[in-house]
């Protein structure tokens, strides 16, 4: 039988492949030329029949051999060699234009996710720093709640965490324990915030109460003492009980800060700018101020809010300075330059939260509302005042004007605009 199509025979002299008897070395075998028959006309396409063993050439038969030419797609995009539009083998499909709308959406979404993650992390970090040590559930016989939220803000003379050098620098002395140096009620309602200072020398009655540590109930005996004595006797819970009993106003939250924490907050924000109308000096607090605008650091700020012997009104003038300073502190802290600057925000929050003592129900959200309400006191929408007084008692304590105090409390309870004037 023929070894090649079309009856071509390869004799021994013509074969050089493996197993050949030729003395010539084996090399690449040349493909013999095969003449291809013309394809059938396109108008009459011909499909060759199935080919099997022994099939002979017929019309349209393709032996499978070619002359060595390469076949490829002649006009398809993205083809291999020889492929291309119009036969141009160098054609490269252009890259699609960037989808800027999609990229912008992805970028914004990524930014939102990062901001949310940082915000949530910051919230839990800050929330964990709060010292929730005051249990208002221990306070008995409480007045009914009114509209709005009432905060009792206390500045204590606690020296906790202060070194001997700190005490000397801040002129705090080294007294053991802690006492209230200032007390204020901040009402946050729909008619704007109201800040009412309660002089530490206010004459008040100590009512019946349950001991914060012992759990024992102490009957009221009508004792008349200075307001700060309530704190000294049994801490924050008795102070809240005494304020509520003598005012009739329900206290929702308690916030306390000591000397050291106060100074650290001021230093963390870079100082507080104050306009001091008249120069004054006080060796007890370390105050030494000239008149005019100036930026107070932590040490100077503490001296400013503690000074009372340099003023004719003593404690009343001091409470007015305390209100003025706290409002300025809140106003200058709640700014984009502090809130949006992590290098300023975190030290400020760390300095403040580490030293704050609050009630067990105080949330970070409530604390933030208190802070912005304090800022609003001097923002044209708030009111600041001392509690109305009638004069002094026989023991030198300051006596409240009960008629005006009752009217003030009713306005606060009903969240009405405050019309009562204080001292």
């Amino acid at each position: 039988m023929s070894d090649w199509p079309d009856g071509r025979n390869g004799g021994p002299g013509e074969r050089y492949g493996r197993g050949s008897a030729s003395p010539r070395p084996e090399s690449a075998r040349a493909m013999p030329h095969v003449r291809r028959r013309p394809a059938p006309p396109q108008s009459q396409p011909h499909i060759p029949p199935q080919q099997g063993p022994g099939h002979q050439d017929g019309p349209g038969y393709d032996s499978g051999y070619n002359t060595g030419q390469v076949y490829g797609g002649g006009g398809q995009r993205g083809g291999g060699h020889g492929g291309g539009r119009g036969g141009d083998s160098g054609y490269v499909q252009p890259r699609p234009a960037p989808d800027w709308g999609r990229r912008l959406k992805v970028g914004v979404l990524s930014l939102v996710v990062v901001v949310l993650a940082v915000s949530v992390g910051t919230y839990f970090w800050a929330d964990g720093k709060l010292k929730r040590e005051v249990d208002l559930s221990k306070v008995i016989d409480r007045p009914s709640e009114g509209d709005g939220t009432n905060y009792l803000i206390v500045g204590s003379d606690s020296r906790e965490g202060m070194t001997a050098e700190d005490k000397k620098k801040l002129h705090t002395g080294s007294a053991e324990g802690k006492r209230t140096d200032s007390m204020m009620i901040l009402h946050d309602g729909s008619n704007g915030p109201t800040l009412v200072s309660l002089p530490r020398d206010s004459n008040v009655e100590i009512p019946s109460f349950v001991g914060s540590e012992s759990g024992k109930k102490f009957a009221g005996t009508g004792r008349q003492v200075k307001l700060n004595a309530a704190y000294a006797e049994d801490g924050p819970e008795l102070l809240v009980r005494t304020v509520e009993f003598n005012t009739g106003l329900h206290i929702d939250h308690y916030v306390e800060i000591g000397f050291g924490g106060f100074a650290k907050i001021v230093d963390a924000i870079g100082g507080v700018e104050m306009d001091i109308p008249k120069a004054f000096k006080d060796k007890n607090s370390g105050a030494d101020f000239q008149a005019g605008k100036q930026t107070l650091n932590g040490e100077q700020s503490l001296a400013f809010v503690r000074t009372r012997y340099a003023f004719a009104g003593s404690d009343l003038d001091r409470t007015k300075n305390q209100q003025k300073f706290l409002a300025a502190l809140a106003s200058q802290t709640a700014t984009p330059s502090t809130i949006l600057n992590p290098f300023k925000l975190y030290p400020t929050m760390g300095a403040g939260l580490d030293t704050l003592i609050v009630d067990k129900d105080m949330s970070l959200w409530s604390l933030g509302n208190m802070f912005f309400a304090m800022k609003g006191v001097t923002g044209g929408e708030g009111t600041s005042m001392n509690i109305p007084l009638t004069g002094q008692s026989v023991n030198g304590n300051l006596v409240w004007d009960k008629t005006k105090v009752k009217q003030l409390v009713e306005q606060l309870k009903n969240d009405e605009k405050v019309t009562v004037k204080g001292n």
Side-chain angles (χ1 to χ4, degrees), residues 282-298:
D282 179 20
K283 65 178 182 179
N284 294 289
S285 66
D288 187 2
F289 297 104
Q290 300 299 316
K293 288 186 177 182
Q294 50 205 287
T295 299
L296 310 186
N297 60 24

Side-chain angles (χ1 to χ4, degrees), residues 186-195 372-378 381-384:
L186 174 65
H187 173 81
D188 184 20
S190 58
N191 279 292
T194 300
L195 185 62
F372 281 97
M374 182 72 74
K375 177 182 178 181
V377 170
T378 56
E381 57 186 47
T383 302
S384 61

Side-chain angles (χ1 to χ4, degrees), residues 7-147:
R8 296 174 65 92
N9 292 314
E14 297 177 305
R15 298 202 304 260
Y16 306 109
R18 290 185 177 89
S20 118
S22 172
R24 295 173 62 183
E26 184 177 14
S27 61
R29 180 163 54 189
M31 180 71 71
H33 178 73
V34 179
R35 177 177 295 171
R36 302 178 66 87
R37 291 175 175 80
Q42 294 184 2
S43 59
Q44 299 179 1
H46 172 73
I47 302 176
Q50 294 289 334
Q51 301 174 15
H55 175 74
Q56 301 295 323
D57 291 352
Y61 172 72
D62 187 349
S63 66
Y65 294 95
N66 58 41
T67 59
Q69 70 187 80
V70 179
Y71 294 89
Q76 298 180 0
R77 289 187 180 185
H81 297 290
R85 184 177 297 171
D88 182 5
S89 61
Y91 173 77
V92 178
Q93 182 178 1
R95 297 176 66 180
D99 188 348
W100 292 110
R102 182 174 178 277
R103 291 186 180 185
L104 180 60
K105 290 179 181 178
V106 172
V108 171
L109 180 60
S110 299
L111 180 60
V112 170
V113 170
V114 171
V115 171
L116 285 176
V118 172
S119 300
V120 171
T122 299
Y123 180 90
F124 284 104
W125 168 79
D127 189 70
K129 282 183 167 292
L130 285 178
K131 297 180 179 179
R132 296 182 173 93
E133 300 177 0
V134 180
D135 189 357
L136 296 183
S137 67
K138 295 179 179 179
V139 180
I140 62 174
D141 300 333
R142 309 193 67 186
S144 61
E145 297 183 18
D147 296 327

